[in-house]
Amino acid sequence: MLSRKILRRTAIAGISLTGFAVLSVAALWELDRAFPPPLPATLTVSTEVLDRDGQLLRAFATPDGYWRLGTRLDQVDREFVDMLVTYEDKRFWDHRGVDLLALCRAAGQFATSGHIVSGGSTLSMQLARLIEPRDSRSLASKVKQILRAVQIERRLSKQEILERYLTLAPYGGNLEGVRAASLAYFGKEPKRLTVSEAALLVALPQLPEKRRPDRNLGIAHAARDRVLTRMVSAGLLGEKEAARAALDDVSGLRRKLPALAAHASYAMLPKAEPGKPLQLTIRRSVQQGLEQVAKEAARKLGPKLSVAMVMADARTGDILGEVGSADFFDASRSGWIDMTKVVRSPGSTLKPFIYGLAFEQGLVAQETIIEDSPADFGGYRPKNFDMGYQGDVSIRQALQLSLNVPAIRVLDAVGPARLTARFRQAGVNPTLPVNEAPGLAIGLGGVGVSLRDLVQLYTGLANGGKMHTLHDGTEPANAERTTATILDDQAAWQIDDILSGVKPPEGAMQRGIAYKTGTSYGYRDAWSVGFDGRYVLGVWVGRADASPIPGLSGYVSAAPILFEGFVRSGLASVPLPGRPPGVFNPKRDELPVTLARFGAGSDGLVQATPTEPAPTIIFPPDGARVDLGTNSADATPLVLKLQGGRAPFRWLANGKPLAGIDRRRTATWQPDGTGYSTLTVIDAAGRAASVKVFVE
């Protein structure tokens, strides 16, 4: 009977204990749900602006003033992580937030020594302290950390715990996280740390203010050495390796975090989302080189002058480097103004496109003679930069010497409206005086464009006439990106060939680039734009307030910066585009009579006649695709027809004259291959008409 009572009481007690345990677990579960740890889905970190390859260009401090860079484990040296875990929490991968053995050891050490020898805190407990700072080092605070650590382990993986610790750990001053510390103390990301550097970063978070090397170098040195000794004891480092690391100096310098591409970075801020880095098309090495060139050049040029630069990939439209001013923080140079986007007079930098259109229309060849002498264009009397005149020069010489009068003669024949229309088709809208139509003055800078616009136009010259809209990542997501033709490939090659022969500035390193300079009216802006077979670099020099600068010129002030910028960009040189099939570039004695000299009138201008309409090609129509069976044995010639104009007529195919001069308004042409071709007719008055066709 007694045994039955004992069994019954034992069963009741067991059931009660089980029920109590269940209730306790349920209560703890509810408490865990009711009082969760403050673990935001995304930490508040510095906004980062990255380059095209993911390298840090610039970071912005958090709203509370800390440099706190988001950190993933794959961004950190693995040996550093191993040293951190070994030093702080060697059973980190095995426990569930609390290391009971470490706590017992810490309690025993305290009992025997009377002071704290080791804290017994796990990395999870340290993360709990970082996300919920304690008011004191009391027993209650320690118990709270323990409970929070258990909660954290239930919610985050070990990798996530490590990543949050590496993002939030204090490293002295307003530095938080291993990436900010590595950049500030070593000038590099923590992906490839030396043993000495890793040991110092392990030691700092325990006493970040006391051990920070920029203020207490000796203490930091000793703390690093203690970590190295512990690593030898733990078997993570060999004695010789640790001894070598101990010989490394600990730098007492705190560096600034990367601060490249200031204007573009600030322009990106409206796109910022919590925890997500922003990315530009810029390449860090290019940006760094260009900024250094601009800063050095501005110092040499003198006070208040600034320098802006844009470098782009002509094949994609990607901006690889852009410097809005010589120094963003230099108020004397108005450094906060992004001069790559400010509209200014481009001087002579648009002349290549004037001549390019003339090549397209078959009006000129490189050796065509044009007169450089005083001329009056309906009251407009352009003068050369040096106020002198060369007399008869070739088209090649006129462009290379940037002579003004020949350029205006050609623009008068091509038409200012046609030039500006071509710019607009290419996505560049020149700023004209209010209520004024395009006039001849635009050929000498009487129009407004930005440096970025200018580089966009020149990408067409570097890319066989095909131009891509420039972009750097700051544009709206729905911004239109277009590809346009600024010149046909044959005309573009003619311009490339001419500009590649321009003499480099004195002392410049030869690079095989084609370039053009320009100086705006009143010596307010100096320009230089150059390109090889892939990259285009534009340079502007001047004052942000548009004040005149005596002695400023594109060749003297901007061209040396251009050549130095190409060198310091670090980009490999790419050969200029090769000669397209069918390009006609005769010597002077090989020129047909209609191309021997530009213009038919007494003043050298192309003369229109009021009695007959200008010639118009009516067949084939512009843009037509014609199947002539060119690749077959029975290929047929193409019949050409025109209306208007004054006989006799000269026909050209791809700039090369067809045999003879004909008074009839029909002709035939036998193409020598398939693809695009430009057909031009010139009448006796020097007026021309062109169409572009695709031969199949």
Side-chain angles (χ1 to χ4, degrees), residues 148-416:
R148 286 302 197 199
V150 174
Q151 289 182 300
I152 288 170
E153 290 269 351
R154 290 188 61 249
R155 289 167 169 80
L156 301 178
S157 68
K158 292 289 187 180
Q159 176 173 320
E160 290 171 329
I161 291 170
L162 264 181
E163 289 179 341
R164 293 203 176 208
Y165 174 84
L166 293 173
T167 299
L168 298 173
Y171 281 89
N174 64 344
L175 296 176
E176 288 191 354
V178 68
R179 286 185 61 214
S182 183
L183 288 164
Y185 295 134
F186 311 134
K188 64 180 182 181
E189 292 277 358
K191 183 65 176 176
R192 292 180 177 84
L193 298 170
T194 66
V195 173
S196 172
E197 291 166 346
L200 179 62
L201 293 180
V202 167
L204 286 178
Q206 289 80 44
L207 295 168
E209 291 304 320
K210 185 177 181 181
R211 294 177 177 176
R212 55 187 288 187
D214 59 321
R215 294 193 177 175
N216 303 299
L217 185 58
I219 296 175
H221 198 288
R224 179 207 63 179
D225 290 348
R226 283 195 294 273
V227 173
L228 292 172
T229 301
R230 179 83 69 83
M231 294 305 104
V232 173
S233 300
L236 195 63
L237 292 178
E239 290 185 6
K240 291 184 179 180
E241 185 180 12
R244 285 194 299 270
L247 295 175
D248 291 346
D249 290 333
V250 175
S251 173
L253 176 68
R254 173 173 166 173
R255 300 164 179 81
K256 293 181 179 179
L257 266 63
L260 297 169
H263 296 92
S265 295
Y266 277 102
M268 288 290 280
L269 283 180
K271 292 185 172 186
E273 297 181 27
K276 292 184 179 181
L278 302 165
Q279 193 161 27
L280 294 166
T281 63
I282 286 171
R283 180 169 290 155
R284 177 178 168 140
S285 58
V286 173
Q287 184 70 26
Q288 207 160 17
L290 295 185
E291 288 193 17
Q292 195 61 36
V293 169
K295 193 169 291 187
E296 293 172 3
R299 281 199 296 265
K300 293 178 183 177
L301 287 166
K304 298 186 178 181
L305 271 78
S306 194
V307 176
M309 307 172 79
V310 174
M311 178 166 256
D313 185 337
R315 298 180 186 175
T316 62
D318 289 351
I319 292 178
L320 303 179
E322 54 185 335
V323 182
S325 64
D327 186 343
F328 184 82
F329 296 104
D330 189 342
S332 69
R333 303 181 195 273
S334 302
W336 64 87
I337 299 177
D338 185 356
M339 296 304 300
T340 69
K341 298 178 180 177
V342 175
V343 173
R344 304 295 278 261
S345 165
S348 297
T349 55
L350 299 181
K351 286 178 181 175
F353 303 98
I354 297 172
Y355 288 101
L357 288 179
F359 278 111
E360 265 192 10
Q361 296 175 38
L363 298 178
V364 297
Q366 289 195 31
E367 295 302 323
T368 297
I369 297 299
I370 189 167
E371 188 177 355
D372 179 34
S373 61
D376 187 328
F377 300 85
Y380 177 54
R381 300 179 180 88
K383 295 179 175 61
N384 286 327
F385 186 77
D386 60 1
M387 298 300 174
Y389 297 93
Q390 302 289 321
D392 281 355
V393 294
S394 68
I395 291 292
R396 182 180 180 89
Q397 292 170 326
L399 179 52
Q400 289 182 343
L401 296 174
S402 197
L403 302 176
N404 289 343
V405 176
I408 298 305
R409 292 188 192 278
V410 175
L411 180 58
D412 193 38
V414 168

Side-chain angles (χ1 to χ4, degrees), residues 344-348 385 444-445 518-527 552:
R344 304 295 278 261
S345 165
S348 297
F385 186 77
L444 304 183
T519 308
S520 69
Y521 178 76
Y523 303 96
R524 289 173 168 81
D525 310 275
W527 306 83
L552 186 75

